[in-house]
Amino acid sequence: LGRADLNVIGDRDVVTRAQLRRFADPADRLVWSALTLSEFLTAHVEVAVHAATILVGGRAVVVTGPPHAGKSTLAANALDLGLPVLGDDHVRIVLAADGVRVEAFPRPLKLRPRGDRPSARTLRDGRDGHLDGQPVTLLSRPTVGAGPSIPVAAVVHLRRRDADGVGVTAVPPSGRPAPLTPQLRGTAIADGEAAPPARAARAALAELPTFSVAVGPDADVAALRHVVAAVERLAGARSGP
């Protein structure tokens, strides 16, 4: 889609004329158009990754996972704990001289009615609506003032499990590239094939400490605390005695 295909409504609602729909409820139009803008931006950067991203100690933690793994819930609960959040769906990947970095997209957080919900304080400014017939809540994401790009400390692969509690395992280097491949987005991905920039981004992410986190029923907050603890241990190991 080119610029001529975009129709701007107000300050923030952007929809494509090619996909324009009729909405009985303006709240549903807001939800759809805000998320459509994000998809448009994601498709037009060179490399992005489908992931929630939070900051721990000023460094980014990239949290990937399949749909409904709990990425948005983790991001919203991070806000509850006072942790900065770069997003719950996509971040741009930037390769710099000091390693791999990420940049946020202008996108609200999207919550579905499952898992641990954040506090009423976090939800009070949310916008309720429907997406594809399912109820969702959009949450504003406070601007992170740490600069245009932020270094990445670790990668987390999130998944659901039937067993109670949370399971955390370190992923060895040999097992890191494969789960990253389907999460890459952008112009460097064509017909499912990764061009050199996407392969370089995947290789850079695969060099970082990586954890697999399995989340049981009603254990989303506990999973977040496990992730934060693991990254804080990494920071302690880097700083040394």
Side-chain angles (χ1 to χ4, degrees):
L1 295 173
R3 290 177 181 269
D5 295 311
L6 290 178
N7 180 33
V8 179
I9 305 173
D11 292 330
R12 297 186 179 182
D13 296 349
V14 178
V15 300
T16 60
R17 290 195 181 101
Q19 297 175 312
L20 189 62
R21 305 174 180 180
R22 291 181 180 272
F23 293 93
D25 188 338
D28 295 348
R29 183 178 64 203
L30 171 65
V31 168
W32 184 80
S33 58
L35 299 179
T36 297
L37 170 60
S38 173
E39 295 295 331
F40 177 83
L41 294 174
T42 300
H44 286 74
V45 300
E46 190 170 52
V47 186
V49 62
H50 179 213
T53 304
I54 65 174
L55 267 59
V56 178
R59 296 171 68 88
V61 182
V62 174
V63 184
T64 73
H68 309 295
K71 298 184 295 295
S72 295
T73 301
L74 182 142
N77 286 323
L79 288 179
D80 254 1
L81 293 183
L83 296 174
V85 174
L86 291 186
D88 70 332
D89 196 64
H90 292 92
V91 287
R92 182 184 181 189
I93 299 297
V94 178
L95 298 183
D98 61 349
V100 61
R101 289 173 166 261
V102 289
E103 294 179 357
F105 288 107
R107 173 191 168 101
L109 308 187
K110 179 186 70 179
L111 284 181
R112 297 183 185 273
R114 58 151 303 279
D116 289 346
R117 300 281 285 178
S119 68
R121 182 188 70 253
T122 297
L123 287 172
R124 67 187 175 191
D125 295 325
R127 297 289 189 91
D128 294 327
H130 293 80
L131 183 66
D132 298 328
Q134 300 297 314
V136 297
T137 299
L138 297 187
L139 291 178
S140 297
R141 177 184 59 79
T143 301
V144 177
S149 65
I150 297 172
V152 181
V155 176
V156 170
H157 299 305
L158 200 66
R159 62 182 178 88
R160 311 304 298 186
R161 72 177 188 183
D162 294 331
D164 291 337
V166 179
V168 180
T169 57
V171 179
S174 61
R176 295 174 186 173
L180 288 169
T181 300
Q183 309 302 334
L184 296 177
R185 304 286 189 272
T187 60
I189 307 294
D191 298 323
E193 297 295 326
R199 292 198 296 270
R202 180 180 58 198
L205 289 169
E207 291 178 359
L208 297 170
T210 302
F211 302 94
S212 174
V213 178
V215 186
D218 302 317
D220 294 276
V221 172
L224 172 61
R225 294 187 184 278
H226 278 281
V227 168
V228 171
V231 175
E232 288 177 340
R233 286 194 295 270
L234 287 175
R238 280 197 304 267
S239 61

